[in-house]
Structures are given as structure tokens and as C-alpha cells.
Amino acid sequence: MQFSNVCLHDFGYVLPPVTLTSDDIEVRLAPLYERLKLPHGRLELMSGIQSRRLWNKGTRPSEGAAQAGNVALERAGVDRADVGCLIFTSVSRDMMEPATAAFVHRSLELPGSCHIFDLSNACLGFLNGMIMLANMIELGQVKSGVIVAGETAEDLVESTMRHMLEEQSLTRKSVKPLFASLTIGSGAVAIVMSDKRVCDTGHSLIGGSCRANTAYNHLCQGGQNSEQGTLMSTDSEELLRQGIETAADCWHGFQQELGWSGEGIDRFFCHQVGKAHAQALFKRLELDPRKNFETLPVLGNVGSVSAPVTMGMGIEQGQLVAGQKAALLGIGSGINSLMLGIEW
């Protein structure tokens, strides 16, 4: 896929107020660690995550998404009356019905003529939303639009810790699929995209590539359990292997589609799972890991928010400047991979 008329404004993001360290989690899980003789420090050692952020109790996904949306709209300076589309892209949602986008739309005071809908695809939802909006812009259907995501990890993290403490039948082997849930964090991000024929920021979405490898859709599954809250089971080792191979196929398509090479890209912003994942990804794709900007140690895995919020923070810190090329590299359960090329 390629785009000719799509420009990006600056990202807006919001980091939740509560910091939960990996040490805090292990102190809470001390009885489990003692029973299974697990070494303290295991969680940070395995994941590379020192801390993750959480919202105050009761915060809805739409609230964080709306806050980030306001930041993005204010930075863009786009007239809200010209916003023709709003897409909410998180794993987390306020409720089954109506669409969470309806709550964000109301909070942002966007016009009644604005298309609004939810788009969910595990950790790739935000990037999928960028493609959907880019298509609408290319077709001349909208002048500008907003992509938002607000992930709320509180229930998953709390339910997982409670289950690990209460389920006495857990062994060193059977507890492994639960640890990935403790790497998850909360956050919110948004971006305004416009038709460069109307408003050219100089930052262009060039195109991208996608791959689906659904033979492995069983490796990471989760949802609401009526008795135990939200739980997720992840075969982390096999998910890493198959995810990397899916990403390698996607990367091959990305290079062919855009005519870009790894050497010509100045900065990479990735969906972040853990340090082992990042190391394996860059080795397999034969990319320079020094070009990878990370927020993993302080934010953890923030689902659909991870890659875009990392890019937003990287831009703020001068890690991507005008005239440079960037690639958003996404891998999500399913398994799916999506990569986007941006000229900043």
C-alpha cells in the first residue's frame, strides 16, 4: 500500500499517574515466589521492564483516549469542524455497546458529520486505524481525522496477581503463561492526520505492508472471566518465534512496496513486548538496534498504544527530526504484523 496525499501532525499522549514497578509486583507475589522457589528480580530480568503506568481506579479507556485526542488536536491546530473521522483503536473498550468512539467523540466535541467507529486488532489497532483514515483521505472523503487509543491494564494486572496467589495448583511450568500479563501497562495516544492538499505539515505517511499468520492465533488469548476477572494466557516463547518470522515476511514486503532499505531508515519505533523480543527482531531483520528508540523499561507493553506513544516521545526527545525517515514496526497476537513508513 502507498499513499500520496496523507500528512501527519504531532502525536498527543497521556501517561497515567500511577507507577507500578516490577519490584512492587514481586513483593505482592512473595508467597508464590517462595512456594515455587522463584528468584526475586525474575520479572524485570526476563522482560527488561522496570515499571509500567496505571490509571486511577475507575478510569475508562475513552477518558484517556479523549485526553490524548485533545492534546493532539491542540498541537495540530486543526479546526474541529473539519475533522471528518474519529477511530478508536484500543484492545480496551468502555463497554460492548455503544462504540467507545462515541464517548470520545462527545468529549472532543467533534461535529455530527464525523464518521466514528471502533477498530480493534490486538496491539496493531492504532496502525490499522492510520491505514483506514489514510484511505479516506486519499479518496477525498475527509480533510482531517483523528486516531485515538486508550489502554487500561488495571484489571488484567490485578486479576492475574490475584489468580497467581489464590491458585495453589500452579507449578513453575503452569505459571509461565501468566507472566506476560504482568508486563502490560496503561496509556493513551492520538494523532491527527490531514490531506496535504489542504494542510501540509511536511510529515508524510508513505505506505506500508501487512501480514497475517493466523495458524498461530492460539498462542495469546485473553478475555473476561466471570469469576476471576480478566485473564490472559500467553505462550511467550512460541509467540516470539512465530511473531518474528511473521515480521520477517512483512519486512520483506515493506521493502518491496516502498523501495526502502534498513540502511536508509533513520529511526525505528516498535510495538514493545520485551527486551528479548526486540533483540531477536532486529537480529532477524538484520537492522541496526541502535536505531531503535525504546520506552519499554518505563512503560512496559501498552498494547495498541506502544508503538505510536514511543514514536511520539521519541520525536519530543529529538530522536526523529525533519527530513528523516522512520518505520513503525508492529507485531500483534493473531498473529499479525504491520509496518508503516513515514517521512518526517
Side-chain angles (χ1 to χ4, degrees):
M1 71 196 85
Q2 294 188 38
F3 306 109
S4 301
N5 301 298
V6 180
C7 72
L8 307 177
H9 297 264
D10 287 335
F11 289 87
Y13 67 89
V14 178
L15 301 183
V18 179
T19 298
L20 179 68
T21 67
S22 292
D23 186 65
D24 292 335
I25 291 174
E26 292 192 325
V27 168
R28 171 87 178 272
L29 294 178
L32 173 77
Y33 271 54
E34 292 171 5
R35 182 170 68 81
L36 299 182
K37 296 181 172 55
L38 299 174
H40 188 85
R42 169 193 177 102
L43 182 56
E44 183 176 339
L45 180 65
M46 289 192 309
S47 66
I49 298 169
Q50 300 164 7
S51 63
R52 71 283 292 134
R53 304 291 283 268
L54 299 175
W55 302 107
N56 289 321
K57 185 176 181 180
T59 302
R60 288 183 169 186
S62 63
E63 295 178 59
Q67 291 178 44
N70 267 318
V71 174
L73 284 164
E74 290 172 3
R75 288 180 174 178
V78 170
D79 189 336
R80 298 190 186 214
D82 290 333
V83 175
C85 182
L86 167 73
I87 310 176
F88 177 86
T89 63
S90 300
V91 177
S92 308
R93 291 184 290 174
D94 283 21
M95 57 190 69
M96 287 290 292
E97 188 178 352
T100 304
F103 299 100
V104 180
H105 176 269
R106 180 178 181 179
S107 181
L108 294 180
E109 299 181 336
L110 298 179
S113 57
C114 181
H115 295 275
I116 64 164
F117 56 93
D118 290 357
L119 185 160
S120 182
N121 185 21
C123 297
L124 295 184
F126 196 95
L127 304 190
N128 286 121
M130 291 177 69
I131 291 173
M132 295 299 102
L133 179 54
N135 287 332
M136 296 177 73
I137 291 172
E138 286 285 304
L139 291 170
Q141 295 174 337
V142 299
K143 295 178 181 178
S144 296
V146 188
I147 312 297
V148 298
E151 298 290 12
T152 52
E154 294 73 37
D155 188 46
L156 174 62
V157 174
E158 176 60 31
S159 296
T160 300
M161 288 194 289
R162 187 168 60 246
H163 176 63
M164 293 171 80
L165 289 170
E166 294 177 355
E167 184 53 69
Q168 294 299 305
S169 65
L170 287 174
T171 64
R172 290 177 70 111
K173 181 178 180 179
S174 63
V175 79
K176 286 180 66 176
L178 296 171
F179 269 100
S181 300
L182 301 179
T183 67
I184 306 298
S186 298
V189 68
I191 192 169
V192 177
M193 298 167 54
S194 294
D195 188 330
K196 66 169 58 176
R197 293 164 293 193
V198 177
C199 173
D200 191 354
T201 63
H203 312 315
S204 299
L205 177 61
I206 304 303
S209 177
C210 67
R211 291 294 186 275
N213 191 4
T214 55
Y216 299 98
N217 62 19
H218 60 286
L219 296 178
C220 180
Q221 298 183 344
Q224 186 71 29
N225 181 296
S226 59
E227 295 180 356
Q228 297 173 308
T230 302
L231 292 177
M232 183 171 69
S233 178
T234 305
D235 184 340
S236 298
E237 294 176 0
E238 187 63 13
L239 184 63
L240 185 150
R241 283 192 290 269
Q242 299 303 333
I244 295 298
E245 289 308 307
T246 306
D249 188 25
C250 189
W251 174 245
H252 178 70
F254 175 91
Q255 293 179 95
Q256 286 190 321
E257 183 70 24
L258 299 189
W260 288 15
S261 67
E263 292 79 6
I265 297 174
D266 299 287
R267 187 64 68 182
F268 295 95
F269 303 99
C270 306
H271 172 63
Q272 302 176 119
V273 177
K275 64 179 181 181
H277 177 273
Q279 291 168 354
L281 177 66
F282 275 72
K283 181 178 180 180
R284 179 68 176 83
L285 272 53
E286 299 181 343
L287 299 175
D288 185 351
R290 293 172 297 181
K291 292 184 177 182
N292 184 32
F293 179 77
E294 293 184 312
T295 58
L296 177 74
V298 294
L299 295 184
N301 178 355
V302 201
S304 65
V305 171
S306 277
V309 79
T310 299
M311 184 170 178
M313 295 175 73
I315 292 168
E316 282 189 347
Q317 296 178 32
Q319 297 297 315
L320 181 67
V321 298
Q324 291 186 325
K325 290 181 178 180
L328 282 162
L329 308 183
I331 306 175
S333 59
I335 294 171
N336 295 289
S337 181
L338 177 58
M339 300 179 178
L340 298 179
I342 294 166
E343 290 184 348
W344 198 252

